[in-house]
Amino acid sequence: MRQIPLALLAPPAHSFDNFLPGANAEALAYLLGLMPADPPVLLWGPTGAGKTHLLQALAERWHAAGQRVAWYDADTPLPWELPAHDSLLLLDDCQRFDAGQQHAAFALFVASAGQGYTVVATADAPAVDLRVREDLRTRLGWGPSFQLSPLREAEMRAALRREADRRGLLLGDEVLDYLLTRFERNLKGLMALLERLDEFAMANKRALTLPLLKAMLADQPVEKFEPDPNL
């Protein structure tokens, strides 16, 4: 277990305010109304559908309300301890848990039952299809379950433009089209690529252009590509 540090909640934190629901409005509405001691919730879907974003948004919201939050994932070292007081327990990417972590996750469910804790978990498939121990699968599937779908292209464009605006970047159609046609439409991956491009542009003191993007991807000096006429 690790307590969610306040640094995680500093900008650019993933929050409900910057989550684009797309087809996931039902899951978003349920999480916004989540209360202590509610039944466990499972959010499932492919990478890039916003599962971890929603967990971090919950962490921010519950922190702001003075609630405790504990986070467990495949990178959280054992042992996993249950917080001393009623808390929000977040289990991210349960399909990645090894045998020891699966045992620990099940133990959290058992120890927290009826004690005022709330569990929200994520996975890449519904509980019935998860390759985890049977008792953990049963607990994950006990409460509400929501399938999350990736954003459609128009929604993904809006999300990337909003992040570029937040960074003070001018994200032109040429660069955006290149990102969406040459790379997997995985918002998490595209956001990471945009962050990398932002850092590359700052290091080279250049505007965000397609030649700059190609220079970064080719790992070549910017000078070998067409210079930016705006600078």
Side-chain angles (χ1 to χ4, degrees):
M1 178 204 72
R2 68 175 188 269
Q3 297 290 336
I4 298 292
L6 290 179
L8 177 66
L9 307 180
H14 289 152
S15 69
F16 287 121
D17 289 339
N18 60 26
F19 179 75
L20 291 178
N24 305 315
E26 182 181 3
L28 176 61
Y30 187 89
L31 294 177
L32 287 171
L34 193 67
M35 300 293 291
D38 275 353
V41 180
L42 177 64
L43 308 173
W44 63 274
T47 300
K51 302 185 299 293
T52 301
H53 186 139
L54 286 174
L55 289 195
Q56 293 181 350
L58 272 175
E60 180 189 55
R61 185 179 180 88
W62 284 52
H63 265 302
Q67 302 285 342
R68 295 176 177 83
V69 178
W71 183 290
Y72 312 83
D73 59 30
D75 297 319
T76 306
L78 296 172
W80 290 0
E81 300 176 355
L82 188 69
H85 303 281
D86 53 335
S87 306
L88 175 66
L89 309 180
L90 303 176
L91 306 174
D92 195 26
D93 279 346
C94 292
Q95 78 281 352
R96 296 181 56 224
F97 292 178
D98 62 24
Q101 292 166 337
Q102 291 176 37
H103 175 78
F106 174 70
L108 289 175
F109 271 105
V110 173
S112 64
Q115 303 298 316
Y117 294 85
T118 305
V119 180
V120 181
T122 71
D124 64 354
V128 67
D129 294 331
L130 286 177
R131 295 184 177 180
V132 297
R133 49 189 285 169
E134 182 62 29
D135 50 9
L136 177 58
R137 181 187 300 110
T138 300
R139 295 294 176 127
L140 290 170
W142 175 61
S145 178
F146 297 93
Q147 179 181 7
L148 299 186
S149 301
L151 296 176
R152 294 183 290 269
E153 180 177 342
E155 297 161 338
M156 195 164 292
R157 284 177 177 272
L160 290 170
R161 285 196 185 280
R162 184 168 67 181
E163 176 61 12
D165 289 344
R166 188 191 68 80
R167 292 175 174 275
L169 295 173
L170 179 60
L171 183 60
D173 289 336
E174 188 179 36
V175 174
L176 190 52
D177 290 344
Y178 192 91
L179 292 174
L180 292 173
T181 56
R182 299 299 182 92
F183 296 91
E184 181 182 358
R185 292 184 181 180
N186 174 326
L187 186 59
K188 182 178 180 180
L190 289 173
M191 286 292 192
L193 186 58
L194 185 61
E195 179 179 7
R196 180 183 165 199
L197 183 56
D198 183 17
E199 294 171 353
F200 190 76
M202 291 180 62
N204 287 278
K205 297 181 174 59
R206 295 294 187 96
L208 200 165
T209 62
L210 185 56
L212 187 79
L213 171 58
K214 290 180 177 179
M216 183 190 76
L217 295 174
D219 196 23
Q220 296 183 25
V222 175
E223 289 75 11
K224 291 189 177 183
F225 287 82
E226 179 184 351
D228 184 352
N230 296 318
L231 294 179

